Amino acid sequence: MRSQRASTPPAADWRTQLRERGYRLTPQRELILAAVERLGHATPDEVLAAVREQSSAVNVSTVYRTLEVLEELGLVRHAHLSDRAPTYHSVTDGEHFHLVCRNCRRVISVDPGVLNPLQDELAADHGFTVDVGHLTVFGRCSECQ
Amino acid sequence: MRSQRASTPPAADWRTQLRERGYRLTPQRELILAAVERLGHATPDEVLAAVREQSSAVNVSTVYRTLEVLEELGLVRHAHLSDRAPTYHSVTDGEHFHLVCRNCRRVISVDPGVLNPLQDELAADHGFTVDVGHLTVFGRCSECQ
DNA sequence: TTCCATGCAAACACTTTGCACCGTG
DNA sequence: CACGGTGCAAAGTGTTTGCATGGAA
């Protein structure tokens, strides 16, 4: 038995989704989503910098508020890749989780498949359903053993 | 092949360890370690409150500095059980990792054994060694499905 | 008597909030 | 033209740092 979470909206028209949920489509929201997709894994600050570089000036608070909305819509997710600020990443390239090297800070994106045994075990033992997309596993990468 | 990390010092005389490493034994350090052991999983702020309640006044910065030292000595560990402050826990009751329910915030401590398949897989595929004690798995507990 | 540890206060990093104005739908 | 979104500035939380004093060894 695998956890079937809400599947990623088929990359389809998120603009439509926005409006259907009563949200409005603004240039800022477009810019911020584009920046997250372009950057891979980025902190709110990095997103802000990227958007500003790209074009117009956007405010910090708008970045925070927008990332929240985008996550609620399932377009982006956040993970904690450091003890500092969280990073946001697009979900369009498929769900994955992260390995972070404690030594060199390298981030490796991993296919959720390897979690199957763990998910089954936790479901059986504790009735617990894992939120795969949010998972970050810290440790040491091959180069830093 | 299992990851053999530095085993927990046999609950032995950490006071001696302290000094051997050039650290000094102060009342604050005793109080703070005791508080962490008593509290289970506590944020720096909660540790501070507990210590103050217990007896003397201790400063916030001392709490932070002390937790850092205690972690370096392998007496406590920290994990991120929320998007806010980290929590510290004693290591004397054995290494474990945490499940956190996204809905009700419940924290479940789990034996590292269930991670074996994952550890092996990540070691084989990416040469990655998991830091088990720092791992936090978010999801939904049995009551909140 | 020597340094490490502490207290204090200020600075920092990150995030949130209140409110007036703006612009999408 | 209504109502949600944005910018701005201020405040909130959590953490770190510099420096003078205090106390363990």
Side-chain angles (χ1 to χ4, degrees):
Chain A
M1 170 196 59
R2 183 90 312 88
S3 73
Q4 33 234 7
R5 80 194 58 270
S7 59
T8 303
D13 211 347
W14 61 275
R15 280 163 257 251
T16 308
Q17 286 183 48
L18 257 188
R19 281 182 286 238
E20 280 173 353
R21 294 231 213 163
Y23 292 117
R24 289 180 184 173
L25 179 58
T26 66
Q28 288 90 334
R29 287 180 174 167
E30 300 232 43
L31 286 165
I32 290 168
L33 178 54
V36 171
E37 297 193 322
R38 180 153 31 89
L39 292 174
H41 300 103
T43 63
D45 230 54
E46 290 163 345
V47 171
L48 178 63
V51 169
R52 283 185 168 162
E53 193 171 300
Q54 196 75 0
S55 60
S56 64
V58 170
N59 195 272
V60 210
S61 51
T62 299
V63 171
Y64 281 101
R65 290 191 272 229
T66 298
L67 289 171
E68 200 179 328
V69 169
L70 295 178
E71 184 151 34
E72 197 185 316
L73 289 173
L75 297 170
V76 306
R77 294 233 48 189
H78 81 274
H80 301 273
L81 305 186
S82 80
D83 286 358
R84 297 260 162 181
T87 64
Y88 287 78
H89 57 276
S90 169
V91 155
T92 57
D93 36 305
E95 185 168 60
H96 59 275
F97 70 99
H98 301 98
L99 309 182
V100 178
C101 179
R102 264 279 157 62
N103 191 242
C104 69
R105 301 276 106 198
R106 187 154 75 108
V107 176
I108 306 169
S109 294
V110 181
D111 185 273
V114 298
L115 293 175
N116 291 354
L118 177 63
Q119 286 178 281
D120 291 342
E121 188 84 22
L122 295 179
D125 295 358
H126 301 93
F128 192 89
T129 307
V130 177
D131 177 357
V132 175
H134 189 269
L135 183 65
T136 302
V137 180
F138 288 85
R140 291 204 155 231
C141 75
S142 51
E143 317 239 317
C144 296
Q145 289 303 329
Chain B
M1 168 196 60
R2 183 87 314 87
S3 73
Q4 34 234 5
R5 79 194 62 270
S7 59
T8 304
D13 212 346
W14 60 275
R15 280 162 257 253
T16 309
Q17 287 182 45
L18 256 188
R19 280 180 287 238
E20 281 174 352
R21 295 231 214 160
Y23 292 116
R24 288 178 186 174
L25 180 59
T26 66
Q28 289 90 333
R29 288 179 175 167
E30 301 233 42
L31 286 165
I32 289 169
L33 178 55
V36 171
E37 297 191 323
R38 181 155 30 90
L39 292 174
H41 299 102
T43 62
D45 230 53
E46 290 164 346
V47 171
L48 178 64
V51 169
R52 284 185 169 163
E53 194 170 300
Q54 194 77 0
S55 61
S56 63
V58 170
N59 195 271
V60 210
S61 51
T62 300
V63 172
Y64 281 101
R65 290 190 272 230
T66 300
L67 289 172
E68 198 180 328
V69 170
L70 295 178
E71 184 151 33
E72 196 184 317
L73 288 173
L75 297 169
V76 305
R77 295 233 47 190
H78 82 274
H80 302 274
L81 305 185
S82 79
D83 287 357
R84 297 259 163 183
T87 65
Y88 287 79
H89 58 275
S90 168
V91 154
T92 56
D93 37 306
E95 184 168 59
H96 59 274
F97 70 99
H98 302 98
L99 309 183
V100 177
C101 179
R102 264 281 157 61
N103 190 242
C104 69
R105 302 274 107 197
R106 186 153 77 106
V107 176
I108 306 168
S109 293
V110 181
D111 185 274
V114 297
L115 292 176
N116 291 355
L118 178 63
Q119 288 178 282
D120 291 341
E121 187 83 24
L122 294 180
D125 295 356
H126 303 92
F128 192 89
T129 308
V130 177
D131 178 357
V132 175
H134 188 269
L135 182 65
T136 303
V137 180
F138 288 85
R140 290 204 154 231
C141 75
S142 52
E143 317 238 317
C144 295
Q145 288 305 326

